[in-house]
């Protein structure tokens, strides 16, 4: 579901005080930057949503798209609060992380960008965003090989953000992304 909304109503959300606040700028493809996350300080919001939505693990999907119509999503392995510019796909069991990785890969594939170009009502026209109804109508295919690639990309991205072997890992991520997109194309 979508994150919280601000507005005129005042609904209590004190249970979420001091939890990490995840902004869209913290979400990169296959990586959630958790460095210097602010704490949630608002006691009330317009729409709180189900509090379980903010418990990990969850796949966070940005509302906005990159200029080339690529979707951006990352798995959060920590509890965190976010607003409606992010949508979470919630896993209720730790074993479901594999499914979140598969969905993340499919939503960030070249095939998905092409799909969204064909069916997206605002993609590439008015602003770079995709609507959830359109995004989440993309067919899901179970393939554990996809989740293995995502794990490798997540690991490489984490090492880059931790400033370890930065220049050595960029070609590796490019190679993994290419292989992941090839794998997804072969699923058709």
């Amino acid at each position: 579901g979508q994150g919280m909304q601000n507005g005129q109503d005042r609904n209590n959300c004190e249970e979420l005080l001091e939890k990490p606040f995840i902004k869209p700028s913290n979400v990169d493809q296959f990586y959630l930057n958790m460095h210097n996350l602010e704490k949630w300080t608002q006691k009330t919001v317009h729409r709180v949503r189900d509090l379980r939505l903010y418990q990990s693990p969850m796949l966070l999907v940005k509302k906005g798209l990159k200029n080339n119509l690529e979707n951006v999503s990352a798995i959060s392995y920590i509890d965190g609060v976010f607003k409606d510019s992010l949508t979470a796909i919630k896993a209720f069991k730790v074993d479901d992380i594999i499914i979140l990785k598969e969905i993340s890969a499919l939503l960030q594939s070249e095939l998905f960008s092409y799909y969204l170009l064909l069916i997206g009502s605002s993609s590439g026209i008015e602003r770079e965003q995709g609507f959830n109804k359109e995004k989440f109508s993309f067919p899901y295919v179970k393939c554990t090989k996809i989740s293995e690639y995502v794990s490798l990309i997540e690991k490489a991205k984490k090492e880059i953000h931790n400033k370890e072997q930065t220049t050595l890992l960029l070609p590796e991520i490019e190679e993994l992304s290419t292989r992941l997109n090839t794998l997804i194309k072969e699923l058709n």
Side-chain angles (χ1 to χ4, degrees), residues 71-83:
N71 196 33
V72 179
S73 65
I75 296 174
S76 177
Y77 297 96
I78 63 162
D79 293 352
V81 181
F82 50 93
K83 291 187 179 179

Side-chain angles (χ1 to χ4, degrees), residues 122-177:
S122 73
S123 305
I125 299 170
E126 181 183 343
R127 55 192 170 267
E128 302 305 330
Q129 74 172 355
F131 295 107
N132 285 344
K133 185 176 182 182
E134 296 163 352
K135 285 182 184 180
F136 301 131
S137 65
F138 189 68
Y140 168 74
V141 179
K142 181 155 184 59
C143 176
T144 54
K145 191 76 171 163
I146 289 175
S147 66
E148 292 169 15
Y149 278 112
V150 171
S151 295
L152 293 172
I153 292 171
E154 284 178 335
K155 181 180 178 212
K157 287 245 180 172
K158 185 176 182 179
E159 289 177 16
I160 282 179
H161 283 275
N162 289 336
K163 299 189 183 353
E164 297 173 14
Q165 304 174 359
T166 303
T167 54
L168 297 176
L169 290 172
L170 289 174
E172 182 181 334
I173 289 176
E174 185 73 30
E175 165 75 18
L176 289 169
S177 294

Side-chain angles (χ1 to χ4, degrees), residues 85-98:
S85 53
L86 294 171
T87 298
I89 299 174
K90 178 76 185 99
F92 290 98
K93 297 182 286 186
V94 175
D95 294 344
D96 290 341
I97 288 176
I98 291 170

Side-chain angles (χ1 to χ4, degrees), residues 48-96:
V48 179
R49 313 292 188 207
D50 186 333
L51 295 179
R52 295 176 296 173
L53 187 63
Y54 308 107
Q55 298 170 351
S56 66
M58 60 196 149
L59 175 64
L60 295 173
V61 182
K62 278 187 174 182
K63 184 178 190 176
L65 303 168
K66 294 173 80 174
N67 288 339
N68 58 359
L69 299 181
E70 286 182 347
N71 196 33
V72 179
S73 65
I75 296 174
S76 177
Y77 297 96
I78 63 162
D79 293 352
V81 181
F82 50 93
K83 291 187 179 179
D84 64 345
S85 53
L86 294 171
T87 298
I89 299 174
K90 178 76 185 99
F92 290 98
K93 297 182 286 186
V94 175
D95 294 344
D96 290 341

